[in-house]
Amino acid sequence: MTTAAPTVLVVEDDPNLRLALRDNLEHQGGYAVEEAATVKEAREQLSRRDFQLILLDVMLPDGDGYTLCRALREEGLGVPVLMLTARTLEEDVVRGFESGAQDYLGKPYRLRELLARVGAHLKRGGGVSPAKLLRFAGYSMDLDRRRVESPEGAEVELTRKEFDLLAFFLKERERALKRDEILDAVWGTDVVVDPHTVDNFVSSLKRKLKWTSASRFSIQTVRGVGYRMEVER
């Protein structure tokens, strides 16, 4: 039986470095590699498939690797991150680890060392544990304690299904979700539920989270599909 190649996402805005990384990872490492040149492209890649490792440049045209890494951790994505950057001062390295990266390698890097580090992270398997605390627009969501707190620190009282629905929206933020997909994830595949039940629960969530047009998050209706949650960063 053939084992699937480990998946690696390379986020690097320099096209020559990005191509060299991909070629070496594919041909010498035997990994399945996808590319992104910007934070936006990285987000799109991460919404389409799961990766076992991210190689992340710090300086990107539409943002920085520190902010992206921190946001992924807050969203519950535990995939290991190896930062590749020319910024190698102590404060830069410390900032990388504080943002949630597992490793930090300065440019120019030695190819054998890079491949060895990539291999070591992938052999550990599974990466770090998914985050148990999700944050959005000033709210915090503790998955273990099943507790949501407002920006003011007050508890937001949610039913079990409302909590599960919000957690699913946050983990799949920025992605258009079909009603059937939401029902399967929150209510289960063996339960028959009217698809419009989702609409009622979304309305209840918005009310309990005190959503207004000025809020820093939204749960938008995607016509003919379902819903998409968006959060300002």
Side-chain angles (χ1 to χ4, degrees):
M1 186 163 117
T2 304
T3 303
T7 54
V8 179
L9 175 61
V10 174
V11 186
E12 166 63 65
D13 65 326
D14 185 307
N16 294 323
L17 283 177
R18 193 169 63 248
L19 179 60
L21 277 168
R22 178 167 195 158
D23 285 347
N24 284 302
L25 289 168
E26 287 182 338
H27 298 144
Q28 295 196 43
Y31 307 123
V33 182
E34 296 293 345
E35 305 174 22
T38 64
V39 170
K40 182 175 183 292
E41 288 180 9
R43 285 281 188 185
E44 290 171 351
Q45 289 281 12
L46 290 164
S47 71
R48 286 197 287 262
R49 68 181 297 183
D50 294 327
F51 291 92
Q52 290 163 274
L53 180 67
I54 300 174
L55 300 187
L56 180 59
D57 187 18
V58 169
M59 303 304 294
L60 296 166
D62 57 345
D64 66 82
Y66 302 126
T67 303
L68 175 59
C69 188
R70 183 176 295 104
L72 295 178
R73 296 296 179 245
E74 290 178 351
E75 293 163 21
L77 191 65
V79 57
V81 172
L82 168 53
M83 287 190 166
L84 298 175
T85 176
R87 300 180 63 168
T88 55
L89 293 177
E90 182 180 4
E91 55 263 36
D92 296 320
V93 177
V94 170
R95 187 180 175 192
F97 286 120
E98 289 179 342
S99 70
Q102 277 64 52
D103 205 350
Y104 200 104
L105 187 59
K107 297 177 183 176
Y109 52 81
R110 294 182 291 271
L111 178 59
R112 288 181 62 188
E113 180 182 1
L114 171 65
L115 291 174
R117 290 190 186 219
V118 168
H121 284 294
L122 291 171
K123 282 178 183 176
R124 287 171 191 153
V128 298
S129 300
K132 298 299 183 182
L133 185 66
L134 305 181
R135 300 183 188 278
F136 68 101
Y139 288 84
S140 63
M141 186 174 196
D142 190 319
L143 299 180
D144 279 344
R145 298 171 62 203
R146 295 187 68 84
R147 177 185 173 94
V148 176
E149 288 188 0
S150 71
E152 296 75 33
E155 182 175 3
V156 180
E157 305 243 354
L158 300 180
T159 67
R160 178 179 177 181
K161 290 302 181 188
E162 287 169 348
F163 186 95
D164 292 343
L165 179 60
L166 179 58
F168 184 59
F169 276 141
L170 285 171
K171 290 175 181 177
E172 300 292 336
R173 68 178 76 184
E174 314 296 337
R175 190 164 77 85
L177 301 166
K178 296 180 180 179
R179 281 183 174 81
D180 288 344
E181 185 179 359
I182 297 170
L183 288 171
D184 288 348
V186 177
W187 278 265
T189 57
D190 56 347
V191 177
V192 178
V193 183
D194 186 326
H196 292 291
T197 299
V198 176
D199 304 333
N200 297 330
F201 273 80
V202 168
S203 296
S204 180
L205 265 183
K206 286 182 175 180
R207 183 177 69 256
K208 291 185 176 182
L209 294 172
K210 298 181 180 180
W211 178 86
T212 70
S213 59
S215 296
R216 291 168 46 213
F217 74 94
S218 63
I219 303 175
Q220 299 182 357
T221 301
V222 182
R223 184 167 304 195
V225 180
Y227 290 95
R228 178 180 63 247
M229 185 168 190
E230 296 186 351
V231 180
E232 287 185 15
R233 297 186 180 86

